[in-house]
Amino acid sequence: MPSADELKQRIEAALPGSTAEVSGPDGVHFEAVVTSAAFAGRSRIEQHRMVMDIFAGQLGGEIHALSLKTKTPS
Amino acid sequence: MSEQQTENPLRDAIAQAIGENDIILFMKGTPEVPACGFSSRAVGVLQALDVAFASVDILPDPRIRQELSALSQWPTIPQLFVRGELVGGSDIILEMYESGELQELVGAEASGDAPDAPAADAPADSGLLQPENLLGKD
């Protein structure tokens, strides 16, 4: 079962220079707020895709849901 | 996209539904009886906007979700499309509603000649497997 900390590390490793706050008390439903300069100039859907692609194959499976907010650093 | 015939009639039917409905929500359950909290939230936002929207229940056949996700490259349900473009799932829908972006996106349509009646609603049980029935025309 993936942990919130594991998700955080995978996001931050996959998107260089990003910061992620992840919570997922039940181990299957996660919430993440991801801030990354890599999001600049991209639509929300593209930003979310960049994060969800990291977990391709796991979403809907062992990660039942990943609720996401993406931000660019101000 | 919808004109192009492929070996995959179900995917064609989904693409056609997306192309022919200005606002279409793929969800679990129906707007009247949503079968999942995320779908329910998406319906709530669209109803708050007071716009007509088509909806497709993906639950009756697992292939609907499979083909939809293959087409949209988006793994989760619900999925909202506006004028042929994937807007997002419930997180994005809610965030754009709260920021006013969603109103702007669909508002231009609503102020036009969009009918009040949800005439474009795809019947949940007609099934995407019969493209000719999808929009209740003919």
Side-chain angles (χ1 to χ4, degrees):
Chain A
M1 190 153 52
S3 69
D5 200 50
E6 187 188 329
L7 265 68
K8 171 186 165 69
Q9 286 173 17
R10 284 177 62 187
I11 294 169
E12 291 179 349
L15 301 173
S18 67
T19 55
E21 295 163 42
V22 184
S23 64
D26 66 359
V28 281
H29 299 82
F30 293 92
E31 284 183 28
V33 180
V34 184
T35 307
S36 172
F39 294 148
R42 294 176 186 263
S43 72
R44 262 204 193 76
I45 201 91
E46 289 172 319
Q47 296 173 3
H48 280 227
R49 264 197 190 116
M50 288 165 71
V51 178
M52 297 212 293
D53 282 350
I54 302 168
F55 306 103
Q58 283 177 289
L59 277 177
E62 55 178 330
I63 301 174
H64 179 77
L66 175 61
S67 175
L68 206 54
K69 257 204 174 101
T70 51
K71 298 175 179 178
T72 45
S74 47
Chain B
M1 181 156 67
S2 61
E3 317 249 310
Q4 201 180 350
Q5 289 300 313
T6 66
E7 298 291 306
N8 194 327
L10 178 53
R11 196 179 295 191
D12 290 343
I14 293 171
Q16 192 180 349
I18 292 168
E20 292 182 357
N21 291 283
D22 275 347
I23 306 176
I24 183 166
L25 181 71
F26 292 85
M27 62 179 292
K28 293 182 180 174
T30 63
E32 294 72 31
V33 189
C36 161
F38 298 104
S39 287
S40 174
R41 218 187 289 169
V43 166
V45 168
L46 289 175
Q47 286 173 345
L49 292 177
D50 201 20
V51 291
F53 63 97
S55 69
V56 175
D57 183 1
I58 60 110
L59 288 177
D61 189 328
R63 287 174 298 173
I64 301 174
R65 176 177 184 166
Q66 247 169 45
E67 293 301 331
L68 173 64
S69 286
L71 193 69
S72 63
Q73 297 294 299
W74 191 256
T76 53
I77 302 295
Q79 296 186 22
L80 175 68
F81 291 78
V82 175
R83 292 186 294 277
E85 292 283 336
L86 175 63
V87 174
S90 61
D91 286 340
I92 294 180
I93 293 170
L94 204 63
E95 200 181 336
M96 288 181 73
Y97 175 68
E98 283 166 357
S99 71
E101 288 166 87
L102 194 61
Q103 290 84 328
E104 213 171 292
L105 186 65
V106 303
E109 294 300 305
S111 63
D113 55 358
D116 275 346
D121 260 18
D125 58 354
S126 72
L128 278 163
L129 304 176
Q130 298 161 301
E132 67 275 14
N133 293 336
L134 186 64
L135 300 171
K137 338 180 271 198
D138 298 334

